[in-house]
Each structure stands twice: as structure tokens, then as C-alpha cells.
Amino acid sequence: MSGRKQFDIGAALDQAMRVFWQRGYADASLEALASATGLGRGSLYGTFGNKETLFGKCLDRYASIYGAQYEQALAAHPGDPVRAVEAFFDVTLGRIADPSVPAGCLIAQSAAQSLTLKPENGVQVRGLLDTQHRRVRAALADSSSGSGTLDELATFVVAVNQSLAVLSRAGTSDAELRSVARLACSTVADTVAKATSEDAGQG
């Protein structure tokens, strides 16, 4: 329409996502969001709603991008839960090493600032962590370990994954992060091997 500014909503959402990713929800001012997206405050509200609604949309966009990568990594090694977990961590380590995106993880950043979030956003962040847990738990399902052990392993893997993001924001080197991931994979491997051995011993 003549005289009306046209813009790419997806691109604007990506820019807003980067602001939340870099600064966290509390420190992502409307001025910073408007500047990053190229939208005035009125247009920002008109397009995305209020700040918490925009943040929710950014969480969804982030989850759709990296969630798909996690799913592909975990599904690429059927019958080999340890390799699946290694691939899962590789997605995180690859994102951390990518200079074109902010450090850390938007979900980890948001979880650490849960007290500053609106209740609906806090529930959304918790749900995204639960989704990550379900994905990992499904990849571990081929193991002989009992259900309780697999639940604990999935929680452990998700916890390490979030820790990698937090450590990266603190300046931990790539070599150190990869060492953490290797030790975590060794823990998964040892737990799975122990369950397999016990299962064979009972056979």
C-alpha cells in the first residue's frame, strides 16, 4: 500500500529474539527492541502486542529453530543412545561456537531469570525445558536401563546442556566445554553399560 512502510515480520522477530538472547527479558528495553527491529514503539505493539507477547513469540521461534536441530541429531542414531546424546551436545556446541549468534542459549538465559518473567512466559520456558527432556528421554528408550534411571539420565543431559550455555556466556573455552560434554557422555555410557550388564546377569 502506498505510503505504508513495509517490513519483513520474520526478520523483525529474529532481531527481537537476538535482543532478548543478548540482554535477557528484564534488560531488553522497548527502545532496544524498537531499534533492533526498525519499528517504532507503536508499530512494535501493533505488530507483536506487548513485551511479554513478543518475548513469547521469540521463544517459540528460537525453539522451532534449535528444537528441529535437536530432534534431527537425536533421531540420527537409533539404537545408540550414547551417540544420540553426543549428537545432541554437538548441536549446542556448534551454536555456541557460531559467531553470528549471541552467546549462550535463550532458554537457559530465560530460565535463569525466571523471577523477572511474567507467569505465562515462565510457564512457557518450563515447557520448553520439559520438551527437551522428552526428546532426550525418547532417544534413551532403547537402553536396557529402567524407566527411573532413564528419567534421571534425561534430566542430567538437559542440565549439562543448559550448563554449557551458561558457561559459554562466562567465557569458558570451547575445549573446556567439549570436555564437559565428553564427561557427560561417559556418564551416560557407563550408566547404560551397567544396566545392560545387570540385565545380562539376570538372564
Side-chain angles (χ1 to χ4, degrees), residues 86 89 93 175-187:
E86 289 176 349
F89 285 139
L93 292 168
E176 290 175 296
L177 294 176
R178 291 187 179 278
S179 177
V180 170
R182 282 195 301 273
L183 286 172
C185 289
S186 293
T187 297

Side-chain angles (χ1 to χ4, degrees), residues 40-199:
R41 183 177 295 195
S43 295
L44 195 67
Y45 278 135
T47 303
F48 299 112
N50 56 24
K51 181 180 175 181
E52 53 264 32
T53 300
L54 174 57
F55 179 59
K57 292 180 183 295
C58 289
L59 284 172
D60 284 340
R61 192 167 184 84
Y62 182 91
S64 69
I65 293 170
Y66 292 105
Q69 293 182 28
Y70 283 135
E71 286 185 351
Q72 291 171 4
L74 289 167
H77 304 281
D80 190 346
V82 177
R83 184 66 190 94
V85 170
E86 289 176 349
F88 176 78
F89 285 139
D90 282 342
V91 172
T92 296
L93 292 168
R95 186 193 65 233
I96 288 172
D98 184 353
S100 70
V101 298
C105 164
L106 178 60
I107 297 173
Q109 168 98 327
S110 303
Q113 298 181 343
S114 290
L115 293 179
T116 69
L117 303 181
K118 298 295 183 181
E120 58 269 32
N121 293 140
V123 170
Q124 185 178 8
V125 170
R126 179 68 255 176
L128 293 173
L129 289 171
D130 289 344
T131 296
Q132 195 169 102
H133 183 279
R134 286 195 298 272
R135 287 181 178 133
V136 174
R137 176 64 175 78
L140 296 172
D142 289 335
S143 165
S144 298
S145 300
S147 179
T149 298
L150 294 181
D151 288 340
E152 292 175 351
L153 270 180
T155 298
F156 169 71
V157 170
V158 171
V160 172
N161 195 54
Q162 298 304 307
S163 297
L164 291 173
V166 174
L167 289 170
S168 73
R169 286 186 71 91
T172 302
S173 70
D174 179 72
E176 290 175 296
L177 294 176
R178 291 187 179 278
S179 177
V180 170
R182 282 195 301 273
L183 286 172
C185 289
S186 293
T187 297
V188 173
D190 290 345
T191 303
V192 169
K194 180 180 178 181
T196 301
S197 176
E198 290 176 347
D199 188 55

